Each structure stands twice: as structure tokens, then as C-alpha cells.
Amino acid sequence: MTMPKGSNVPVPAPAVRIELGWGAGAGVPDADASALLLAASGKVRSDADFVFYNQPGHASGAVRHEGKQRSDAGVSDVLTVDLAHVEPQIETVVLAASADGGTFGQVPGLYIRVLDAASGAELARYDSSDATVETAFVLGELYRRQGAWKFRAVGQGYGSGLEGLATDYGITVDEPQQVAPTVSAATAPAQAAPAPPAPPAPMTPPAPAAPPAAVAPPAATAPGAPATPAAPVRLTKVTLTKDAPSVSLMKQGGTSGGMRVNLNWEVRKQFKGWGAKLGRAVAMHADLDLDLCALYELADGRKGVVQALGNAFGALHQPPYILLDGDDRTGAVATGENLTINLDHIKDFRRILIFVTVYEGARSFADLNATVTLQPQHGAPVDFSLDECTVPSTVCALALLTNNGGDIVVQREARYLVPDRGVSPQRTVDHAYGWGMNWTPGRK
């Protein structure tokens, strides 16, 4: 049952999942969830108490922005709050959303749900129905009362967007020099395919190395005090689309440090056998395992691949300056598949192709709902959604990064490739982009 505006309920769970959602449809603006951790003053202690797409994790680890989930019914943006570990100086966690490319009057079915992080049980829900010209909205808040946590339905709007919302709570906002437009990727029905051949490993993978420490890690923070960013909060972000498929990292400030590349996914539907209406076979299972990979070509001509097969995980501080963080088999928004690129070595790169293969659990990318995010340590995040797969593909080229005179240009590919019979997905993407490597079957 939805709560009336202004009402409150107890939150007995030690950790919660906050889902801010809305309906999908033509002309509906995108929206982004955020959280502000407030002290007794009603303001943040520093800019580090603002959790959103450009600053997805609080220094305490108690609040995280996990990202979006999309389906035919709508979109949800997810935050997680570990209430048991929220610092004692924090009395309120404000839960808000900001519209991108329109107002909340154009966003149908806006709601917030509070779920028990362990069981998934719904603890509270508030549906907003009176938005008009607002471009930012506080939907609810978690607050302490006599040693326990409660949730209040707020429903307060702002006409000044995310910047106005943030500054109202004491955030210092950096003035953006350029804001790229954001448009959601189109989707279409999908088609299945025969089972792919055995996945390969490269004949000459890069020399294995123990995973080093992350590039330029943040300084340690004293317990109970959030880390303070060196610069004001930047609200800019870039969403690549078919109409605007590329972006310069230099123009977005992403020229050094580590750049995390994340792929997360969920399966919208699960079919078995032939769909009577669709006239096609679709096989998507809960044990779907996708592998994020990268073909690289260095400035000195060396080529190779970073992938889980053959333990070719790469390295950050020696060639190829790309490290695969691990092998995820869930596609969870909080984790997914990740690799890191060391932008301190831009001069050593000629080109990098980020791609993904279906390792097991499916015959194609049909009904896969995936989002790719490139998060530079410095600079605006770059993200895009994949179009639905309409061909029998087991390999998808995601993004091509090219060194253009010392500037890395990111090109959205979102290109599903169909391997010929007996040809591996890796060899297929190699041939499509002219990498010229030799491949042999391998396992992980």
C-alpha cells in the first residue's frame, strides 16, 4: 500500500535497498537517484556526503548508488543503505531524484520503494502524483528517531534541478563547461541462435601479473569523517546514443588515473522452446555468464587481449595497462563485470576495443538488458545502454577507444556480431575490427 505524503513508518531492517522508479515511454525524460547524508544541522558535513552517479559510494561504505535497471514496464535507479553502519553523526539520509531532459510532470508513475536488502520484502512505498514543472524531487528520507530508523514520504520538488537540490543541502557544485545531451537507446525484439563453439584463449596472451593496487587510490580517512573531494562536485555526465555516439575524455576531464569500465545486466524474460507468437527460439537462463573483454593495440605495435580465458587478466602498472577485476556470473548492478584502464599511460595506447561474449547459459544476447559505464577517476562518467539483440549473436562490441593525438576518444559501438559456424566469438570480433591475432581454444 502506498503511503500518504508526510507519513512515516518504522524501518526494522539493518540494511535497505531503495528503488526510485518510473514508467517507460516515448518522450519520458531520464532520471537519476541520489542520496544526501545530513548531520543535525540539516546540511551535509562536506561534499563527500553526496552520493550520486558521479560519486557512487560514500566513504563510510554505508550508502551506495548502484545504478539503473530497465525493463519494458519502466526504469528504476537503485541506492543501497546499510543503516547499521551509517555514521552516528548522520541523522537523515535524503532520497531524491533529478530529471534529465525534462520535468517530473513528464515522468509517469514516479515512486520510491524501501526494500529489506536481505529478504527483498517491501517495507515502504510512496507514489508521487502531483509533480508538474519540478526537475528535482525529494521522494523520501530515512531518519533516526530514538535509536531506530524510520522512513518518511516527502514529495517535495525543486525547479532548479540537481544543482539546486544539492546546493540547498550545502553541496558546493562545480560549474560545468559542457553538458552533453542524454537520450535513451532504442530497443527491439530479439532472436535466438545455435550454440556457439568452444570459447578460445589467445596463443600469446600478455604476461600474467598479480593484480596491483588500484590506480591512485584515495587517501585514508579517519573513522567517522567523510573524505573531502579535492574539487567541487561535478554534476556532468555523458550518455552516448546512436545520434551522439562518441565523446572526448580530455574534454570531460578524464586524462589520468584509473578508468573503471563496468558491464551489468539482467534478463528481462526467460523463455524455453519456441515462442508461438514470436516464432523464434529464445534461451536465456538464470545462470547466464557473460565475459567482459578488451582487445588492445599499444603504440609500439604490441597486441593482445584481456579476458578471463587463459587467465589473461592483464596488469595496471605494466603493459597492457588494463586489468580485468574478476569474473562475475550474476550481472548484479552492484558488481557486474569490471575492468580498469590506466589513463596515466594514454600515450602507450593506440586503440582498445571493449567487448563482451556469452560464455555459457544462453545461445544469444536475446532479452538481455545491459548498461555499460566508463567511470574515469577524474571527469564525467560515460554510459550507454545496449540495443536489444535481433540477430543470433554471442559477441557484442561495446566501445572503441582510440588515441587521437594524446586524447582518448570513446566511440559507442553496441554492435552485435554473428560468428560463422565453427568460428569463436573472439575470432569474430578480431576479424570485424582488423586486429589480426591468432587464436586457439581455451577454458577458464
Side-chain angles (χ1 to χ4, degrees):
M1 180 183 301
T2 185
M3 300 170 58
K5 182 187 294 189
S7 62
N8 62 78
V9 295
V11 179
V16 293
R17 173 184 169 93
I18 308 297
E19 183 181 287
L20 288 84
W22 57 94
V28 175
D30 194 19
D32 297 290
S34 58
L36 298 108
L37 288 73
L38 310 183
S41 63
K43 303 284 186 179
V44 298
R45 298 167 299 173
S46 77
D47 293 348
D49 284 338
F50 185 28
V51 176
F52 70 122
Y53 51 78
N54 256 6
Q55 198 164 268
H58 190 259
S60 66
V63 183
R64 287 198 59 82
H65 176 249
E66 304 292 6
K68 289 189 174 72
Q69 296 181 348
R70 302 178 187 272
S71 68
D72 294 338
V75 185
S76 62
D77 204 4
V78 176
L79 299 157
T80 54
V81 183
D82 185 350
L83 296 171
H85 291 90
V86 173
E87 298 158 303
Q89 300 93 334
I90 298 300
E91 294 197 355
T92 305
V93 180
V94 172
L95 306 167
S98 54
D100 189 359
T103 68
F104 278 107
Q106 301 169 278
V107 178
L110 182 65
Y111 69 88
I112 183 172
R113 292 204 303 159
V114 181
L115 309 174
D116 186 320
S119 68
E122 183 176 285
L123 305 176
R125 178 182 178 120
Y126 167 62
D127 291 87
S128 173
S129 58
D130 55 357
T132 55
V133 297
E134 298 88 351
T135 50
F137 228 84
V138 175
L139 288 162
E141 62 183 18
L142 297 162
Y143 65 98
R144 297 184 197 265
R145 186 66 77 237
Q146 297 179 345
W149 284 95
K150 303 185 79 172
F151 171 78
R152 178 184 290 116
V154 177
Q156 176 184 345
Y158 289 75
S160 49
L162 184 59
E163 181 176 353
L165 170 70
T167 53
D168 194 44
Y169 287 103
I171 300 293
T172 303
V173 176
D174 188 19
E175 291 294 332
Q177 296 181 352
Q178 177 181 0
V179 178
T182 61
V183 184
S184 299
T187 56
Q191 186 172 10
M203 292 186 65
T204 56
V215 178
T221 306
T228 302
V233 171
R234 298 187 63 182
L235 302 183
T236 54
K237 69 172 183 175
V238 179
T239 296
L240 301 182
T241 68
K242 290 179 179 178
D243 295 330
S246 65
V247 65
S248 158
L249 289 186
M250 182 178 292
K251 290 182 179 179
Q252 300 300 323
T255 57
S256 63
M259 180 170 70
R260 179 172 176 262
V261 181
N262 171 263
L263 171 72
N264 66 64
W265 67 89
E266 65 174 340
V267 179
R268 276 188 289 264
K269 305 173 185 175
Q270 293 188 15
F271 296 97
K272 293 183 179 179
W274 289 87
K277 293 183 179 180
L278 295 177
R280 62 191 62 166
V282 182
M284 270 288 184
H285 307 290
D287 59 352
L288 173 66
D289 181 16
L290 303 183
D291 282 343
L292 187 64
C293 314
L295 282 170
Y296 64 84
E297 181 179 1
L298 300 182
D300 61 10
R302 283 179 290 176
K303 299 177 182 179
V305 67
V306 174
Q307 61 177 6
L309 294 179
N311 293 320
F313 287 93
L316 270 184
H317 300 289
Q318 63 186 53
Y321 309 110
I322 304 169
L323 177 68
L324 181 63
D325 297 356
D327 182 25
D328 180 65
R329 290 173 178 254
T330 66
V333 175
T335 55
E337 289 268 328
N338 300 278
L339 59 81
T340 305
I341 300 172
N342 189 343
L343 296 181
D344 291 335
H345 288 270
I346 286 178
K347 63 179 178 58
D348 294 305
F349 294 119
R350 183 170 295 167
R351 57 177 178 158
I352 303 169
L353 180 69
I354 311 298
F355 68 100
V356 59
T357 66
V358 176
Y359 182 71
E360 63 181 16
R363 296 182 176 181
S364 79
F365 288 105
D367 290 291
L368 177 71
N369 184 15
T371 302
V372 181
T373 303
L374 289 76
Q375 177 65 71
Q377 185 173 337
H378 309 289
V382 178
D383 64 16
F384 60 89
S385 298
L386 296 184
D387 300 329
E388 267 190 52
C389 181
T390 59
V391 294
S393 170
T394 54
V395 58
C396 179
L398 301 176
L400 180 64
L401 284 64
T402 306
N403 189 330
N404 184 11
D407 178 19
I408 294 293
V409 175
V410 179
Q411 173 78 27
R412 176 188 187 269
E413 296 293 306
R415 179 182 176 188
Y416 293 107
L417 302 171
V418 182
D420 293 332
R421 183 177 296 276
V423 178
S424 70
Q426 283 85 346
R427 189 187 297 271
T428 299
V429 74
D430 178 319
H431 178 74
Y433 286 86
W435 235 263
M437 292 175 59
N438 296 318
W439 300 88
T440 186
R443 297 184 181 277
K444 61 178 179 178

